[in-house]
Each structure stands twice: as structure tokens, then as C-alpha cells.
Amino acid sequence: MRHAFNMSMSLLTVCSALLVSSPATAAGDGRDQALQSFQIRRLEATLKAAADGPTREYFNGMAANREGRLWVSIRLLTAALPSLRRSSVSRAALALQALTDDYGKLFEYKKAAASAEELLASFATELSPIQRQGVEDDAAVYRILSDTPRQTIGFAGPVALQTGRNVLGSLEADLSVNGVGGKWLLDTGANMSVVTHGFAERLRLQPLPGSARVQALTGVENTMRVAVIPTLRLGGAILHHVVVLVLPDKDLNIPYDKEGHRYQINAIIGYPVLQALGRLTFRRDGRLLAGDLASDSHGGVRMYMKGLRPVIECKMAGHSLPFSFDTGASRTELLTAYYERFKSQAPHWQQVEKVSAGAGGAVRKKGFVQRVLKLQVGARTATLRDVMIDAADTGVDNAAIYGNLGQDFVSGFDSFTIDFRSMRFSLGEPLGSPWGAPNAR
């Protein structure tokens, strides 16, 4: 039995910070399943002939949430909720979860807290114990942030940052914040930006009153604080009121090989900051280009959001399947949905022992390795090798997601572009050889 090591540094997958839990899918017609499985085109086609009313408002509002049209989602779901509270508790619970997500992404923290609290007060029976804990944690964070001004962004010039890869295979950029220089990991899979206690002290950040819980990969609940960076500069972009979670240093001290060597992460730029930049192109030469400097993404595929996770459509075996994409993960990991759908191929997979490392430590469990995986993204085909398959439920809501794509997914191309404006993802020109991180395990 071969020992395999997979490093994924997304807060979403290892910390259970914000919005990792979803109520169970509403028991209803095929539109519920289409929504859950990100078959948004099919859902939208069926809604064209649907009668006006709360049901249509609900599905259009949920689709708008997935597509990043947040104010549209809020308007439709708010209109549908009075009827849903009486007619379908499962859909009402999902609508409240989506509203919490909408308000959180718009930095309307008080309204996000109110939506999460109503979900807990009125529809707790729709939540599993793990899901309920996640919603309680979300509500606690949003309560702490209730009086915090909304994050804003302005541009004084172009955004072109030089990035590099650490021993974990993750992208980092050297930034100066409050006059303190340091390496910040760039992680689209991180629900919020993060700093360690020690680094927060160096940045002279004062935690806000109150605390919340965060669950590490090992299942241990830890206390975290929340702070706000008044001004954060990324090249020509100037952001104000950037929220950061403050975690113990040890929770971001990451083992990265079988010998037990460790790497200390001090700071992470997460989804709310990266999304505010609009369109991002990560290039082979290490440059991160944002805004008008980023590449056009029209040749790519549609991108959706599952909470704070980008989800992209990849074709495999003639089917369009949803995969999350995480710039903070060095390698791709296929999830339970993939295992369940393709387990007839298990005799061709190699069984291995997997070590997943992240905040809070490492966990060993059995999995499988698929030697070659081909995923089509628009006109491009990404070929991945020795891809880990997780056959067990991780406790995070991944029911509809077939895998979490890491840096090996994009390593065969000269660039990749994430466009939060048009909600599209694209790959650049194919390379003769991959450009993955040589030290990543």
C-alpha cells in the first residue's frame, strides 16, 4: 500500500469557517435536483414556461445566487419567502441560506446574521447536527461584524503582482500591510482572508469584541477572533475595511511531507478580496493580472458559486459535471460524488492511504488513485495524473461537487483566468510540459 500526501489549503475544506453547510435538498420536482447539481441551464429552460408566483421566484432567486447576481437573488427570494415559510420548509431553509450568502458577499453583515438566525430559529429541523453547527458559527461571525463598514475597492492604477510558489505548491505574493511586509497566500477557496495571532500583532490589528468557533480538519473546534484591515493595497487596487479571521499560529503551521517538515502560513488573501478585483489572470511567469490587464474569458466555461466557492463546468465522458476550483490547493482531489458515480471503475484504481493536511493538523484515511483523468474546459483539455479519490464523506457539504481542482489542473497551460464579472473560467494556451510546483507533495 502506497502512502500518498495531498495538500489542500482551502479554509473551506479544512476549517469549516463560513457557509460550509447546506440544508438538505428540497423534496420536490426535478427542478430541485437541477439546482442542487448545478444544472442551471436546464433549470432556466424549465422556468421559461413556469407560471409567475413564489415557486418561480424561488428557483430564479436561487439560480441568481449561483450565478453571482446577488441583488436579483435577494429581491426574488425575499418575495418568495412568505409563501415558502407556509408551503415548503425545506425550500424556505435553502432560501434563507442563499440570502445569508448573498448578504455576506455584499458585506451586509447585520442582514446576513439575521438570515442565519432565522434559519436556526425556524428551520433547525432541516439541518443535520454538523450543518446546524456550521450555521451557528456563521451567525456568530456575522454578529461580530454587524457594525463593520462594507468592504470597498478603488483603483489608482493597474494590478500586476508577482507571485511565487511555496513548498506547499500554493501561490503567494509579497505584500506590505500597515508597513509590515510578508507573504500572503492567494486562495480563492478561502471563505475569508486570514492572519495568525502573531502576524495580527505585527500588523497592529485589534480584534473586534466577541469570538466564534472554527472547526479544523481534525474535527477539533477552536476559538477564533475577527479583525478588520483598514486599508489593503494590491498593486493599483486599494481596498478598505477588509475582514480577516485571526487564527492561532499553530493552526496554520502545515506539515508538507512524510518526514514531518512544516511550513508556517501567516496570512491568506481569500475570496472576498480576490472577487472584488473582478477578473484575474494567473500566468506561468508568476504574474497575477487583474481588472483590465486580465485576459478575456469568453472562450471559457460558465462559473457558478456554491456559497463562497467557485464552481466550474468540466466535461467528462460526455457529461458536464461541477467541480470547485481552489488556487490554494496544490493537487486535485475527487470527492464522494465522483466515487459514487464512477465506482464501477474502482478495480482500475489503486487503493492508498491518504494524508490530508491543513489548519489544525493532518488526517489519515483510505482512498483511491486514478492514474489519468481528462477534463474538458471549453476548447481545452486538462490531463491530470495520479488523482486522489475520496470515497468517504468529509463532513463538508460536497454532495453535488465531483472534485476540488488544484494547481495540477492548470499546470499544463500558460495561464488561467477567473472572471467574477461575467462568471466564466478559462484556460490559456497549452504548454509542452506542466509548470506545477516542484516541491509540492
Side-chain angles (χ1 to χ4, degrees), residues 186-250:
L186 306 175
D187 188 355
T188 56
N191 294 335
M192 299 188 77
S193 300
V194 180
V195 295
T196 61
H197 284 168
F199 199 58
E201 290 179 355
R202 290 178 57 197
L203 296 176
R204 301 183 300 280
L205 297 181
Q206 294 296 322
L208 299 174
S211 63
R213 291 180 296 184
V214 60
Q215 186 176 25
L217 177 76
T218 54
V220 176
E221 288 272 353
N222 294 318
T223 299
M224 69 175 178
R225 303 293 300 275
V226 182
V228 178
I229 298 175
T231 302
L232 174 66
R233 293 178 178 268
L234 295 171
I238 305 172
L239 295 100
H240 296 289
H241 314 304
V242 175
V243 171
V244 291
L245 307 182
V246 184
L247 300 180
D249 293 50
K250 62 181 178 60

Side-chain angles (χ1 to χ4, degrees), residues 25-321:
T25 303
D29 55 40
R31 291 174 295 186
D32 294 295
Q33 181 57 37
L35 178 66
Q36 176 75 0
S37 58
F38 288 87
Q39 297 176 25
I40 304 300
R41 287 189 183 91
R42 179 162 70 87
L43 174 63
E44 290 171 338
T46 64
L47 292 174
K48 289 179 180 179
D52 291 338
T55 299
R56 182 172 182 172
E57 289 172 329
Y58 165 73
F59 281 114
N60 277 323
M62 294 296 290
N65 169 265
R66 301 284 195 267
E67 294 169 330
R69 296 181 292 120
L70 305 180
W71 288 116
V72 173
S73 176
I74 289 171
R75 175 174 57 82
L76 292 170
L77 293 177
T78 300
L81 257 175
S83 176
L84 293 176
R85 290 185 181 102
R86 299 188 301 269
S87 62
S88 176
V89 293
S90 54
R91 286 177 179 170
L94 287 166
L96 283 167
Q97 182 212 17
L99 282 171
T100 304
D101 178 56
D102 291 334
Y103 285 126
K105 288 173 180 172
L106 292 167
F107 314 110
E108 297 282 355
Y109 305 116
K110 189 172 294 186
K111 293 179 180 178
S115 295
E117 287 164 354
E118 182 183 350
L119 177 56
L120 291 169
S122 301
F123 302 101
T125 56
E126 296 299 304
L127 305 172
S128 71
I130 292 176
Q131 291 167 346
R132 180 169 181 168
Q133 184 63 64
V135 177
E136 288 174 353
D137 293 348
D138 299 344
V141 171
Y142 286 134
R143 281 195 296 268
I144 293 171
L145 292 169
S146 287
D147 296 323
T148 300
R150 298 175 69 247
Q151 176 185 293
T152 61
I153 186 170
F155 292 88
V159 179
L161 300 176
Q162 188 65 37
T163 69
R165 295 177 184 273
N166 58 30
V167 294
L168 307 176
S170 301
L171 292 171
E172 292 181 327
D174 287 311
L175 301 177
S176 179
V177 179
N178 288 351
V180 178
K183 294 186 180 297
W184 290 68
L185 190 146
L186 306 175
D187 188 355
T188 56
N191 294 335
M192 299 188 77
S193 300
V194 180
V195 295
T196 61
H197 284 168
F199 199 58
E201 290 179 355
R202 290 178 57 197
L203 296 176
R204 301 183 300 280
L205 297 181
Q206 294 296 322
L208 299 174
S211 63
R213 291 180 296 184
V214 60
Q215 186 176 25
L217 177 76
T218 54
V220 176
E221 288 272 353
N222 294 318
T223 299
M224 69 175 178
R225 303 293 300 275
V226 182
V228 178
I229 298 175
T231 302
L232 174 66
R233 293 178 178 268
L234 295 171
I238 305 172
L239 295 100
H240 296 289
H241 314 304
V242 175
V243 171
V244 291
L245 307 182
V246 184
L247 300 180
D249 293 50
K250 62 181 178 60
D251 283 359
L252 292 177
N253 188 257
I254 311 298
Y256 63 86
D257 63 11
K258 293 183 291 185
E259 287 71 39
H261 296 104
R262 307 182 74 88
Y263 183 79
Q264 180 66 55
I265 295 173
N266 288 313
I268 302 172
I269 294 290
Y271 165 82
V273 171
L274 297 174
Q275 184 274 338
L277 295 174
R279 189 168 66 199
L280 307 122
T281 295
F282 295 84
R283 296 187 55 83
R284 174 186 171 90
D285 61 11
R287 285 183 299 158
L288 167 59
L289 308 177
D292 293 339
L293 293 181
S295 301
D296 194 315
S297 61
H298 291 309
V301 295
R302 292 181 77 172
M303 183 173 72
Y304 304 103
M305 297 302 300
K306 181 177 175 64
L308 297 165
R309 262 191 294 182
V311 173
I312 62 176
E313 293 180 336
C314 297
K315 283 192 176 180
M316 178 184 168
H319 300 283
S320 291
L321 305 176

